[in-house]
């Protein structure tokens, strides 16, 4: 006999996917498509999704800290600035075509603490409404006079040093920029953690994680559970709660439409185990 408390199949209601890329991201693969991502969201039963294409800069302006640090910022030749007019035109088309979805605008800012003036000017261009979701990300850190991508760091230093350096810079990002609302993929280089280094251990970096989480909670911001990265443990999301963190965002970080909402059931179960629940409605962050 099945257990009486088993929820009926289909009763699970996934949250909004707050981190999706489209053809307007500089690193978009050929199959990237805002419209197909909407179709996938409908098929997966998501109430909505946020299109958070990359805002990455390759040249600095007055007031950007990276200029003062004199770092070479241009780490990929195909990196280019987002075409916001094109992005917003496609967004409008999708909102008309998929009225059953809540389609949020958004942006994923890379290294916002180093590009403060440039990033603030771009966000100001989207006024008066502004993006619905602003993600803060750290994909690269200063190293040997260059803004160095996380995957390159593993060629320059031992794996545990990569994570120590990354989490130290992440604290500078959170403390150094209030432009973003959601901290994306808190341990981004974990995606490239080498097999040869043995299993990744969150506990080995607990003090640094907790310092970042405390700074994030102090600004009343939101922690992302990113389902492209190895899934955070419920224990780590518990550290977020202990730090005073109040809200969690779910993000697939999909660059291909088929990945929208990917692994959300696992992520929701984990976040629930850490003591967070669905917010005031289906479009809200999850809250404690
Ligand atoms: Zn990212
Ligand atoms: Zn992303």
């Amino acid at each position: 006999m099945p257990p009486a408390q088993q929820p009926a199949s289909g009763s699970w209601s996934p949250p909004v996917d707050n981190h999706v890329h489209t053809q307007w991201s500089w690193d978009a693969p050929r199959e990237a498509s805002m419209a197909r991502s909407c179709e996938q969201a409908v098929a997966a039963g998501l109430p909505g999704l946020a299109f958070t294409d990359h805002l990455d800069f390759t040249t600095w302006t007055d007031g950007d800290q990276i200029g003062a640090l004199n770092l070479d910022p241009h780490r990929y030749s195909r990196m280019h600035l987002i075409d916001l007019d094109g992005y917003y035109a496609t967004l409008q088309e999708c909102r008309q075509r998929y009225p059953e979805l809540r389609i949020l605008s958004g942006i994923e800012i890379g290294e916002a603490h180093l590009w403060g003036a440039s990033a603030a000017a771009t966000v100001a261009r989207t006024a008066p409404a502004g993006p619905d979701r602003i993600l803060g990300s750290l994909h690269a850190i200063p190293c040997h006079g260059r803004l160095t991508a996380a995957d390159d760091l593993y060629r320059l230093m031992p794996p545990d040093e990569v994570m120590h350096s990354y989490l130290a810079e992440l604290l500078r990002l959170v403390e150094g920029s209030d432009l973003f609302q959601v901290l994306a993929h808190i341990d981004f280089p974990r995606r490239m953690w080498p097999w040869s280094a043995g299993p990744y251990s969150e506990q080995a970096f607990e003090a640094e994680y907790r310092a970042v989480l405390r700074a994030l909670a102090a600004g009343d911001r939101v922690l992302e559970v990113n389902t492209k990265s190895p899934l955070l443990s419920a224990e780590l999301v518990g550290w977020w709660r202990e730090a005073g963190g109040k809200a969690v965002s779910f993000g697939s970080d999909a660059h291909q439409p088929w990945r929208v909402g990917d692994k959300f059931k696992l992520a929701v179960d984990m976040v629930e185990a850490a003591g967070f629940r669905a917010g005031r409605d289906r479009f809200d962050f999850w809250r404690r």
Side-chain angles (χ1 to χ4, degrees):
M1 216 170 107
Q5 295 308 312
Q6 188 116 347
S9 71
S11 70
W12 178 65
S13 155
V16 168
D17 189 339
N18 280 308
H19 188 160
V20 177
H21 293 273
T22 76
Q23 65 269 36
W24 296 104
S25 280
W26 64 265
D27 63 348
R30 241 198 329 252
E31 62 270 33
S33 156
M34 198 183 279
R36 297 245 162 68
S37 298
C38 290
E39 280 162 25
Q40 175 64 27
V42 172
L46 301 187
L49 76 179
F51 291 116
T52 53
D53 283 306
H54 288 293
L55 177 61
D56 287 317
F57 300 93
T58 54
T59 53
W60 63 74
T61 186
D62 285 348
D64 287 340
Q65 204 208 341
I66 192 163
L69 296 172
N70 201 25
L71 294 171
D72 177 359
H74 203 173
R75 52 195 187 272
Y76 301 108
S77 58
R78 63 189 181 127
M79 218 168 175
H80 62 80
L81 205 53
I82 184 171
D83 171 359
L84 275 179
D85 295 335
Y87 164 88
Y88 274 107
T90 314
L91 194 79
Q92 272 317 108
E93 280 168 31
C94 284
R95 281 176 171 163
Q96 280 162 15
R97 233 169 112 182
Y98 305 97
E100 65 273 50
L101 272 181
R102 173 93 51 107
I103 300 178
L104 304 175
S105 63
I107 205 87
E108 177 180 8
I109 307 176
E111 300 80 42
H113 60 318
L114 300 178
W115 301 99
S118 294
T122 307
V123 170
R125 274 189 56 208
T126 66
D132 297 313
R133 295 280 178 263
I134 302 184
L135 311 184
S137 287
L138 188 70
H139 299 115
I141 69 173
C143 184
H144 303 312
R146 300 182 64 90
L147 196 51
T148 306
D151 40 0
D152 289 329
L153 294 173
Y154 284 108
R155 288 190 271 279
L156 298 169
M157 56 183 88
D160 58 337
E161 211 179 301
V162 170
M163 289 310 302
H164 287 307
S165 307
Y166 180 87
L167 291 167
E169 188 67 23
L170 193 62
L171 182 59
R172 288 190 273 275
L173 167 69
V174 174
E175 290 180 336
S177 174
D178 57 7
L179 207 51
F180 62 91
Q181 170 192 37
V182 178
L183 179 65
H185 46 55
I186 185 169
D187 44 19
F188 180 68
R190 179 177 179 179
R191 292 183 185 177
M192 307 126 212
W193 183 258
W195 286 104
S196 56
Y200 180 84
S201 160
E202 292 169 343
Q203 286 77 11
F205 310 103
E206 178 175 345
E208 286 117 312
Y209 274 117
R210 283 187 186 271
V212 170
L213 295 171
R214 272 195 303 271
L216 194 66
D220 205 16
R221 290 191 267 182
V222 180
L223 178 71
E224 177 188 84
V225 169
N226 185 296
T227 60
K228 186 176 180 182
S229 294
L231 197 61
L232 300 177
S233 70
E235 186 185 355
L236 194 151
V237 178
W239 297 345
W240 172 231
R241 209 188 49 236
E242 287 164 26
K246 295 194 181 80
V248 170
S249 176
F250 294 90
S252 68
D253 209 350
H255 286 66
Q256 294 95 351
W258 61 267
R259 278 211 59 252
V260 170
D262 190 38
K263 302 200 185 83
F264 268 27
K265 181 71 170 85
L266 277 174
V268 158
D269 287 349
M270 180 279 288
V271 168
E272 222 160 28
F276 288 80
R277 300 287 174 266
R280 27 178 196 276
D281 57 42
R282 290 190 74 200
F283 311 104
D284 194 13
F285 297 118
W286 274 42
R287 299 187 184 272
R288 54 194 294 180

